[in-house]
mmCIF file with all atom_site columns, all heavy atoms in Angstrom:
data_model
loop_
_atom_site.group_PDB
_atom_site.id
_atom_site.type_symbol
_atom_site.label_atom_id
_atom_site.label_alt_id
_atom_site.label_comp_id
_atom_site.label_asym_id
_atom_site.label_entity_id
_atom_site.label_seq_id
_atom_site.pdbx_PDB_ins_code
_atom_site.Cartn_x
_atom_site.Cartn_y
_atom_site.Cartn_z
_atom_site.occupancy
_atom_site.B_iso_or_equiv
_atom_site.pdbx_formal_charge
_atom_site.auth_seq_id
_atom_site.auth_comp_id
_atom_site.auth_asym_id
_atom_site.auth_atom_id
_atom_site.pdbx_PDB_model_num
ATOM 1   N N   . VAL U 1 20  ? -9.090  25.796 8.157   1.00 0.00 ? 104 VAL U N   1
ATOM 2   C CA  . VAL U 1 20  ? -8.916  25.926 6.822   1.00 0.00 ? 104 VAL U CA  1
ATOM 3   C C   . VAL U 1 20  ? -8.752  24.642 6.111   1.00 0.00 ? 104 VAL U C   1
ATOM 4   O O   . VAL U 1 20  ? -9.496  24.448 5.020   1.00 0.00 ? 104 VAL U O   1
ATOM 5   C CB  . VAL U 1 20  ? -7.557  26.675 6.505   1.00 0.00 ? 104 VAL U CB  1
ATOM 6   C CG1 . VAL U 1 20  ? -7.058  26.677 4.983   1.00 0.00 ? 104 VAL U CG1 1
ATOM 7   C CG2 . VAL U 1 20  ? -7.730  28.257 6.909   1.00 0.00 ? 104 VAL U CG2 1
ATOM 8   N N   . ASP U 1 23  ? -12.388 22.827 5.584   1.00 0.00 ? 107 ASP U N   1
ATOM 9   C CA  . ASP U 1 23  ? -13.385 23.610 4.993   1.00 0.00 ? 107 ASP U CA  1
ATOM 10  C C   . ASP U 1 23  ? -13.582 23.126 3.546   1.00 0.00 ? 107 ASP U C   1
ATOM 11  O O   . ASP U 1 23  ? -12.719 23.188 2.714   1.00 0.00 ? 107 ASP U O   1
ATOM 12  C CB  . ASP U 1 23  ? -12.969 25.013 5.072   1.00 0.00 ? 107 ASP U CB  1
ATOM 13  C CG  . ASP U 1 23  ? -14.082 25.956 4.635   1.00 0.00 ? 107 ASP U CG  1
ATOM 14  O OD1 . ASP U 1 23  ? -14.329 25.933 3.392   1.00 0.00 ? 107 ASP U OD1 1
ATOM 15  O OD2 . ASP U 1 23  ? -14.766 26.645 5.515   1.00 0.00 ? 107 ASP U OD2 1
ATOM 16  N N   . ALA U 1 28  ? -12.263 23.027 -2.312  1.00 0.00 ? 112 ALA U N   1
ATOM 17  C CA  . ALA U 1 28  ? -12.605 23.116 -3.821  1.00 0.00 ? 112 ALA U CA  1
ATOM 18  C C   . ALA U 1 28  ? -11.711 24.217 -4.470  1.00 0.00 ? 112 ALA U C   1
ATOM 19  O O   . ALA U 1 28  ? -11.206 23.971 -5.605  1.00 0.00 ? 112 ALA U O   1
ATOM 20  C CB  . ALA U 1 28  ? -14.038 23.576 -3.909  1.00 0.00 ? 112 ALA U CB  1
ATOM 21  N N   . TRP U 1 33  ? -7.693  23.399 -10.482 1.00 0.00 ? 117 TRP U N   1
ATOM 22  C CA  . TRP U 1 33  ? -7.119  22.904 -11.760 1.00 0.00 ? 117 TRP U CA  1
ATOM 23  C C   . TRP U 1 33  ? -7.770  21.620 -12.156 1.00 0.00 ? 117 TRP U C   1
ATOM 24  O O   . TRP U 1 33  ? -7.772  21.279 -13.342 1.00 0.00 ? 117 TRP U O   1
ATOM 25  C CB  . TRP U 1 33  ? -5.725  22.895 -11.782 1.00 0.00 ? 117 TRP U CB  1
ATOM 26  C CG  . TRP U 1 33  ? -5.174  21.700 -10.976 1.00 0.00 ? 117 TRP U CG  1
ATOM 27  C CD1 . TRP U 1 33  ? -4.745  20.523 -11.424 1.00 0.00 ? 117 TRP U CD1 1
ATOM 28  C CD2 . TRP U 1 33  ? -4.917  21.657 -9.590  1.00 0.00 ? 117 TRP U CD2 1
ATOM 29  N NE1 . TRP U 1 33  ? -4.290  19.751 -10.536 1.00 0.00 ? 117 TRP U NE1 1
ATOM 30  C CE2 . TRP U 1 33  ? -4.327  20.371 -9.228  1.00 0.00 ? 117 TRP U CE2 1
ATOM 31  C CE3 . TRP U 1 33  ? -4.981  22.564 -8.558  1.00 0.00 ? 117 TRP U CE3 1
ATOM 32  C CZ2 . TRP U 1 33  ? -4.037  19.997 -7.953  1.00 0.00 ? 117 TRP U CZ2 1
ATOM 33  C CZ3 . TRP U 1 33  ? -4.587  22.190 -7.326  1.00 0.00 ? 117 TRP U CZ3 1
ATOM 34  C CH2 . TRP U 1 33  ? -4.103  20.932 -7.023  1.00 0.00 ? 117 TRP U CH2 1
ATOM 35  N N   . LEU U 1 49  ? -17.072 15.329 12.532  1.00 0.00 ? 133 LEU U N   1
ATOM 36  C CA  . LEU U 1 49  ? -16.983 13.859 12.563  1.00 0.00 ? 133 LEU U CA  1
ATOM 37  C C   . LEU U 1 49  ? -18.288 13.311 11.996  1.00 0.00 ? 133 LEU U C   1
ATOM 38  O O   . LEU U 1 49  ? -19.349 13.678 12.341  1.00 0.00 ? 133 LEU U O   1
ATOM 39  C CB  . LEU U 1 49  ? -16.830 13.425 14.069  1.00 0.00 ? 133 LEU U CB  1
ATOM 40  C CG  . LEU U 1 49  ? -16.689 11.946 14.285  1.00 0.00 ? 133 LEU U CG  1
ATOM 41  C CD1 . LEU U 1 49  ? -15.407 11.406 13.646  1.00 0.00 ? 133 LEU U CD1 1
ATOM 42  C CD2 . LEU U 1 49  ? -16.722 11.687 15.798  1.00 0.00 ? 133 LEU U CD2 1
ATOM 43  N N   . VAL U 1 53  ? -18.746 13.871 2.061   1.00 0.00 ? 137 VAL U N   1
ATOM 44  C CA  . VAL U 1 53  ? -18.827 14.751 0.899   1.00 0.00 ? 137 VAL U CA  1
ATOM 45  C C   . VAL U 1 53  ? -18.484 13.909 -0.283  1.00 0.00 ? 137 VAL U C   1
ATOM 46  O O   . VAL U 1 53  ? -17.662 12.912 -0.226  1.00 0.00 ? 137 VAL U O   1
ATOM 47  C CB  . VAL U 1 53  ? -17.802 15.967 1.106   1.00 0.00 ? 137 VAL U CB  1
ATOM 48  C CG1 . VAL U 1 53  ? -16.362 15.424 1.232   1.00 0.00 ? 137 VAL U CG1 1
ATOM 49  C CG2 . VAL U 1 53  ? -17.968 16.893 -0.049  1.00 0.00 ? 137 VAL U CG2 1
ATOM 50  N N   . THR U 1 54  ? -19.268 14.188 -1.309  1.00 0.00 ? 138 THR U N   1
ATOM 51  C CA  . THR U 1 54  ? -18.893 13.605 -2.672  1.00 0.00 ? 138 THR U CA  1
ATOM 52  C C   . THR U 1 54  ? -18.321 14.631 -3.507  1.00 0.00 ? 138 THR U C   1
ATOM 53  O O   . THR U 1 54  ? -18.938 15.740 -3.702  1.00 0.00 ? 138 THR U O   1
ATOM 54  C CB  . THR U 1 54  ? -20.191 13.059 -3.287  1.00 0.00 ? 138 THR U CB  1
ATOM 55  O OG1 . THR U 1 54  ? -20.641 11.937 -2.397  1.00 0.00 ? 138 THR U OG1 1
ATOM 56  C CG2 . THR U 1 54  ? -19.857 12.426 -4.619  1.00 0.00 ? 138 THR U CG2 1
ATOM 57  N N   . CYS U 1 69  ? -15.541 10.261 4.119   1.00 0.00 ? 153 CYS U N   1
ATOM 58  C CA  . CYS U 1 69  ? -16.111 10.501 5.368   1.00 0.00 ? 153 CYS U CA  1
ATOM 59  C C   . CYS U 1 69  ? -15.119 11.075 6.374   1.00 0.00 ? 153 CYS U C   1
ATOM 60  O O   . CYS U 1 69  ? -14.026 10.457 6.370   1.00 0.00 ? 153 CYS U O   1
ATOM 61  C CB  . CYS U 1 69  ? -16.742 9.235  5.760   1.00 0.00 ? 153 CYS U CB  1
ATOM 62  S SG  . CYS U 1 69  ? -17.412 9.258  7.505   1.00 0.00 ? 153 CYS U SG  1
ATOM 63  N N   . PHE U 1 91  ? -8.639  4.370  0.670   1.00 0.00 ? 175 PHE U N   1
ATOM 64  C CA  . PHE U 1 91  ? -7.606  5.363  1.071   1.00 0.00 ? 175 PHE U CA  1
ATOM 65  C C   . PHE U 1 91  ? -7.986  5.913  2.453   1.00 0.00 ? 175 PHE U C   1
ATOM 66  O O   . PHE U 1 91  ? -9.200  5.970  2.798   1.00 0.00 ? 175 PHE U O   1
ATOM 67  C CB  . PHE U 1 91  ? -7.368  6.497  0.107   1.00 0.00 ? 175 PHE U CB  1
ATOM 68  C CG  . PHE U 1 91  ? -8.255  7.647  0.099   1.00 0.00 ? 175 PHE U CG  1
ATOM 69  C CD1 . PHE U 1 91  ? -8.408  8.485  1.095   1.00 0.00 ? 175 PHE U CD1 1
ATOM 70  C CD2 . PHE U 1 91  ? -9.013  7.923  -0.990  1.00 0.00 ? 175 PHE U CD2 1
ATOM 71  C CE1 . PHE U 1 91  ? -9.275  9.566  1.056   1.00 0.00 ? 175 PHE U CE1 1
ATOM 72  C CE2 . PHE U 1 91  ? -9.919  8.938  -1.105  1.00 0.00 ? 175 PHE U CE2 1
ATOM 73  C CZ  . PHE U 1 91  ? -10.012 9.845  -0.022  1.00 0.00 ? 175 PHE U CZ  1
ATOM 74  N N   . MET U 1 94  ? -4.815  11.197 6.709   1.00 0.00 ? 178 MET U N   1
ATOM 75  C CA  . MET U 1 94  ? -4.559  11.834 8.153   1.00 0.00 ? 178 MET U CA  1
ATOM 76  C C   . MET U 1 94  ? -4.045  13.140 8.030   1.00 0.00 ? 178 MET U C   1
ATOM 77  O O   . MET U 1 94  ? -2.962  13.371 7.347   1.00 0.00 ? 178 MET U O   1
ATOM 78  C CB  . MET U 1 94  ? -3.670  10.884 8.924   1.00 0.00 ? 178 MET U CB  1
ATOM 79  C CG  . MET U 1 94  ? -3.445  11.486 10.337  1.00 0.00 ? 178 MET U CG  1
ATOM 80  S SD  . MET U 1 94  ? -4.799  11.368 11.404  1.00 0.00 ? 178 MET U SD  1
ATOM 81  C CE  . MET U 1 94  ? -4.937  9.657  11.803  1.00 0.00 ? 178 MET U CE  1
ATOM 82  N N   . HIS U 1 95  ? -4.727  14.156 8.631   1.00 0.00 ? 179 HIS U N   1
ATOM 83  C CA  . HIS U 1 95  ? -4.155  15.486 8.650   1.00 0.00 ? 179 HIS U CA  1
ATOM 84  C C   . HIS U 1 95  ? -3.852  15.812 10.125  1.00 0.00 ? 179 HIS U C   1
ATOM 85  O O   . HIS U 1 95  ? -4.761  15.833 10.987  1.00 0.00 ? 179 HIS U O   1
ATOM 86  C CB  . HIS U 1 95  ? -5.333  16.433 8.249   1.00 0.00 ? 179 HIS U CB  1
ATOM 87  C CG  . HIS U 1 95  ? -5.930  16.221 6.898   1.00 0.00 ? 179 HIS U CG  1
ATOM 88  N ND1 . HIS U 1 95  ? -5.719  16.810 5.746   1.00 0.00 ? 179 HIS U ND1 1
ATOM 89  C CD2 . HIS U 1 95  ? -6.945  15.144 6.608   1.00 0.00 ? 179 HIS U CD2 1
ATOM 90  C CE1 . HIS U 1 95  ? -6.457  16.304 4.738   1.00 0.00 ? 179 HIS U CE1 1
ATOM 91  N NE2 . HIS U 1 95  ? -7.218  15.237 5.340   1.00 0.00 ? 179 HIS U NE2 1
ATOM 92  N N   . THR U 1 100 ? 3.932   24.793 17.008  1.00 0.00 ? 184 THR U N   1
ATOM 93  C CA  . THR U 1 100 ? 5.326   24.904 17.325  1.00 0.00 ? 184 THR U CA  1
ATOM 94  C C   . THR U 1 100 ? 5.602   26.368 17.457  1.00 0.00 ? 184 THR U C   1
ATOM 95  O O   . THR U 1 100 ? 4.763   27.264 17.306  1.00 0.00 ? 184 THR U O   1
ATOM 96  C CB  . THR U 1 100 ? 6.122   24.437 16.039  1.00 0.00 ? 184 THR U CB  1
ATOM 97  O OG1 . THR U 1 100 ? 5.846   25.219 14.954  1.00 0.00 ? 184 THR U OG1 1
ATOM 98  C CG2 . THR U 1 100 ? 5.870   22.961 15.670  1.00 0.00 ? 184 THR U CG2 1
ATOM 99  N N   . GLY U 1 103 ? 4.341   28.965 14.724  1.00 0.00 ? 187 GLY U N   1
ATOM 100 C CA  . GLY U 1 103 ? 3.358   28.520 13.839  1.00 0.00 ? 187 GLY U CA  1
ATOM 101 C C   . GLY U 1 103 ? 2.945   27.100 14.075  1.00 0.00 ? 187 GLY U C   1
ATOM 102 O O   . GLY U 1 103 ? 2.885   26.546 15.201  1.00 0.00 ? 187 GLY U O   1
ATOM 103 N N   . TYR U 1 131 ? 1.771   11.464 -9.140  1.00 0.00 ? 215 TYR U N   1
ATOM 104 C CA  . TYR U 1 131 ? 0.619   12.341 -9.437  1.00 0.00 ? 215 TYR U CA  1
ATOM 105 C C   . TYR U 1 131 ? 0.038   12.836 -8.151  1.00 0.00 ? 215 TYR U C   1
ATOM 106 O O   . TYR U 1 131 ? -0.317  13.934 -7.794  1.00 0.00 ? 215 TYR U O   1
ATOM 107 C CB  . TYR U 1 131 ? -0.432  11.702 -10.342 1.00 0.00 ? 215 TYR U CB  1
ATOM 108 C CG  . TYR U 1 131 ? -1.643  12.545 -10.658 1.00 0.00 ? 215 TYR U CG  1
ATOM 109 C CD1 . TYR U 1 131 ? -1.582  13.548 -11.586 1.00 0.00 ? 215 TYR U CD1 1
ATOM 110 C CD2 . TYR U 1 131 ? -2.761  12.307 -9.826  1.00 0.00 ? 215 TYR U CD2 1
ATOM 111 C CE1 . TYR U 1 131 ? -2.735  14.393 -11.845 1.00 0.00 ? 215 TYR U CE1 1
ATOM 112 C CE2 . TYR U 1 131 ? -3.952  13.037 -10.032 1.00 0.00 ? 215 TYR U CE2 1
ATOM 113 C CZ  . TYR U 1 131 ? -3.974  14.114 -11.014 1.00 0.00 ? 215 TYR U CZ  1
ATOM 114 O OH  . TYR U 1 131 ? -5.056  14.933 -11.160 1.00 0.00 ? 215 TYR U OH  1
ATOM 115 N N   . TYR U 1 142 ? -1.473  25.660 -0.938  1.00 0.00 ? 226 TYR U N   1
ATOM 116 C CA  . TYR U 1 142 ? -2.606  26.488 -1.003  1.00 0.00 ? 226 TYR U CA  1
ATOM 117 C C   . TYR U 1 142 ? -3.184  26.735 0.344   1.00 0.00 ? 226 TYR U C   1
ATOM 118 O O   . TYR U 1 142 ? -3.370  27.818 0.795   1.00 0.00 ? 226 TYR U O   1
ATOM 119 C CB  . TYR U 1 142 ? -3.677  25.902 -1.872  1.00 0.00 ? 226 TYR U CB  1
ATOM 120 C CG  . TYR U 1 142 ? -4.893  26.890 -2.001  1.00 0.00 ? 226 TYR U CG  1
ATOM 121 C CD1 . TYR U 1 142 ? -4.857  27.859 -3.138  1.00 0.00 ? 226 TYR U CD1 1
ATOM 122 C CD2 . TYR U 1 142 ? -5.910  26.807 -1.162  1.00 0.00 ? 226 TYR U CD2 1
ATOM 123 C CE1 . TYR U 1 142 ? -5.970  28.745 -3.225  1.00 0.00 ? 226 TYR U CE1 1
ATOM 124 C CE2 . TYR U 1 142 ? -7.038  27.702 -1.253  1.00 0.00 ? 226 TYR U CE2 1
ATOM 125 C CZ  . TYR U 1 142 ? -6.944  28.640 -2.319  1.00 0.00 ? 226 TYR U CZ  1
ATOM 126 O OH  . TYR U 1 142 ? -8.096  29.549 -2.459  1.00 0.00 ? 226 TYR U OH  1
ATOM 127 N N   . GLN U 1 150 ? -4.899  34.785 6.431   1.00 0.00 ? 234 GLN U N   1
ATOM 128 C CA  . GLN U 1 150 ? -5.748  34.965 7.596   1.00 0.00 ? 234 GLN U CA  1
ATOM 129 C C   . GLN U 1 150 ? -5.101  35.489 8.861   1.00 0.00 ? 234 GLN U C   1
ATOM 130 O O   . GLN U 1 150 ? -5.536  36.347 9.538   1.00 0.00 ? 234 GLN U O   1
ATOM 131 C CB  . GLN U 1 150 ? -6.768  33.758 7.797   1.00 0.00 ? 234 GLN U CB  1
ATOM 132 C CG  . GLN U 1 150 ? -7.850  33.509 6.661   1.00 0.00 ? 234 GLN U CG  1
ATOM 133 C CD  . GLN U 1 150 ? -8.528  32.216 7.042   1.00 0.00 ? 234 GLN U CD  1
ATOM 134 O OE1 . GLN U 1 150 ? -8.388  31.644 8.111   1.00 0.00 ? 234 GLN U OE1 1
ATOM 135 N NE2 . GLN U 1 150 ? -9.407  31.937 6.119   1.00 0.00 ? 234 GLN U NE2 1
#
Side-chain angles (χ1 to χ4, degrees):
V104 165
D107 189 289
W117 74 94
L133 183 63
V137 60
T138 299
C153 173
F175 81 67
M178 176 68 74
H179 310 257
T184 64
Y215 177 85
Y226 184 89
Q234 289 179 0

